[in-house]
Amino acid sequence: ADGSPFPCRENVMWTGHLLHVATLYEALTGDDKYRQPGGLRLVDGRGREWSSDAEALGLHLAACMRVNAAGGVPCEPGLVFFQCQNHAMCGLRLLEALGGSRVPHGFFGPERRRFLQFATGGMRAVVGTGGLKVVVVTTPQHTEPFCAPFARERAHLEERLASAARAGCETIAGEHRPPGPSPSRVLGSVPFAHLGSDGWDLTYLGWWADSGRLAGELYTLAVQPKVSRGAWGYGEHPSLDSRPPLACCVGLNIPKSAYSAQILPMLRQLGDGSNADRVEAWLRRHFRREAPAQSHQGGGGEGGGGEGG
């Protein structure tokens, strides 16, 4: 870690989340400071400083997608998780929508469509396990053979942006050209799904995908059958679910109390009220705690004294 973290090509949990947060901040506040040159500033523990901005970070992420065989950005060398693409994709979608942005509507559409074309085929999970595979393995792309392809794709995106500006486009459709040659290959996958992973996938997918129906179609076809069979055990007491997780996500023995945070919003958004009520009732029964009543005794301030004699 001797250089700037902003050009990292294989840590979408940093770059993608940063873009999502920066663009969401502007959407909520109207403050475009993170889109200004140098608006994203990082100082490390040794006092070294690096900077970027939201638009530059968006182009960087899109170039990473274009050199990857799956059309995504790895979370760690070679590993492309659908879940984590959500945050990069939300950030790219917000860049297209922000007032005053140089990025026209639809600018990142080719990157969205390319990833979803791969994911809806190459990331479909083994039947009966859920909707989408947890992860696919691709060629690590932080290596030297990827430098030239990445530079080429970044230059293409810069030219696409400049071309849209010259034409005065507020909306752009279609692709100027597909990605060029890249050393990236799909090497394998974890073939099954996980309900928490599906919840994370589908909670965000409907927001950034070009088709608002896709999340619902995937849920109805592949996720809802598993939910309806009760395979996630929401009748169980949490003590039966208390084993510590193994090796990050690899063991997939993640406590239901954790991944319910992804399942519940998915169910509500996709209109499965009966199963959403079931999950919420389980969480309330085992985890809800009432706040302690505030005491107003003593103090003598407002509300602090008792009734006078």
Side-chain angles (χ1 to χ4, degrees):
D2 291 328
S4 170
F6 292 108
C8 180
R9 299 199 292 262
E10 296 200 273
N11 191 355
V12 74
M13 294 296 280
W14 151 250
T15 50
H17 281 250
L18 179 61
L19 180 66
H20 193 180
V21 170
T23 51
L24 186 60
Y25 170 86
E26 182 175 347
L28 293 172
T29 67
D31 183 351
D32 67 352
K33 64 181 180 181
Y34 297 126
R35 239 180 338 113
Q36 299 303 312
L40 292 170
R41 177 174 168 268
L42 176 70
V43 181
D44 74 3
R46 289 186 275 174
R48 298 177 301 172
E49 182 176 327
W50 295 278
S51 63
S52 185
D53 61 77
E55 290 185 0
L57 189 57
L59 294 175
H60 169 79
L61 283 162
C64 291
M65 294 171 183
R66 290 176 66 85
V67 298
N68 185 269
V73 185
C75 293
E76 48 201 288
L79 303 183
V80 176
F81 291 78
F82 188 105
Q83 309 92 298
C84 310
Q85 308 311 307
N86 278 314
H87 302 284
M89 292 295 188
C90 284
L92 296 179
R93 178 68 85 175
L94 280 164
L95 271 180
E96 296 176 345
L98 293 173
S101 173
R102 296 189 307 140
V103 180
H105 287 277
F107 182 82
F108 295 110
E111 287 66 52
R112 283 192 290 272
R113 290 188 290 273
R114 180 170 176 260
F115 174 67
L116 283 176
Q117 182 178 13
F118 174 83
T120 53
M123 295 187 80
R124 289 295 302 277
V126 173
V127 173
T129 67
L132 294 165
K133 294 176 181 178
V134 174
V135 61
V136 296
V137 183
T138 63
T139 312
Q141 61 192 54
H142 64 283
T143 56
E144 181 63 29
F146 280 84
C147 291
F150 175 83
R152 179 195 65 225
E153 298 305 328
R154 177 62 185 265
H156 164 69
L157 290 162
E158 295 279 6
E159 174 53 32
R160 189 201 294 175
L161 190 60
S163 176
R166 289 193 297 268
C169 294
E170 294 184 359
T171 300
I172 188 170
E175 167 62 297
H176 294 176
R177 67 164 178 81
S182 166
S184 184
R185 301 291 183 270
V186 175
L187 305 176
S189 67
V190 174
F192 45 81
H194 183 276
L195 278 169
S197 172
D198 280 337
W200 189 350
D201 296 339
L202 301 187
T203 292
Y204 289 94
L205 175 60
W207 195 87
W208 61 262
D210 290 335
S211 169
R213 299 189 303 272
L214 180 58
E217 290 170 354
L218 283 170
Y219 178 72
T220 301
L221 181 65
V223 182
Q224 191 173 35
K226 185 172 183 180
V227 173
S228 299
R229 287 198 305 271
W232 50 13
Y234 272 103
E236 299 175 358
H237 190 276
S239 63
L240 301 176
D241 188 41
S242 59
R243 296 168 300 164
L246 299 173
C248 188
C249 306
V250 177
L252 295 181
N253 63 330
I254 303 163
K256 288 188 290 294
S257 54
Y259 66 75
S260 293
Q262 307 296 347
I263 291 173
L264 185 55
M266 172 190 72
L267 296 173
R268 291 291 184 207
Q269 289 181 51
L270 297 177
D272 190 344
S274 60
N275 277 309
D277 290 344
R278 180 170 156 227
V279 175
E280 186 170 345
W282 184 83
L283 289 169
R284 288 178 178 275
R285 182 166 63 252
H286 295 297
F287 295 99
R288 179 168 174 157
R289 298 292 183 270
E290 297 293 341
Q294 293 184 347
S295 173
H296 296 290
Q297 296 179 359
E302 182 180 350
E307 294 181 1

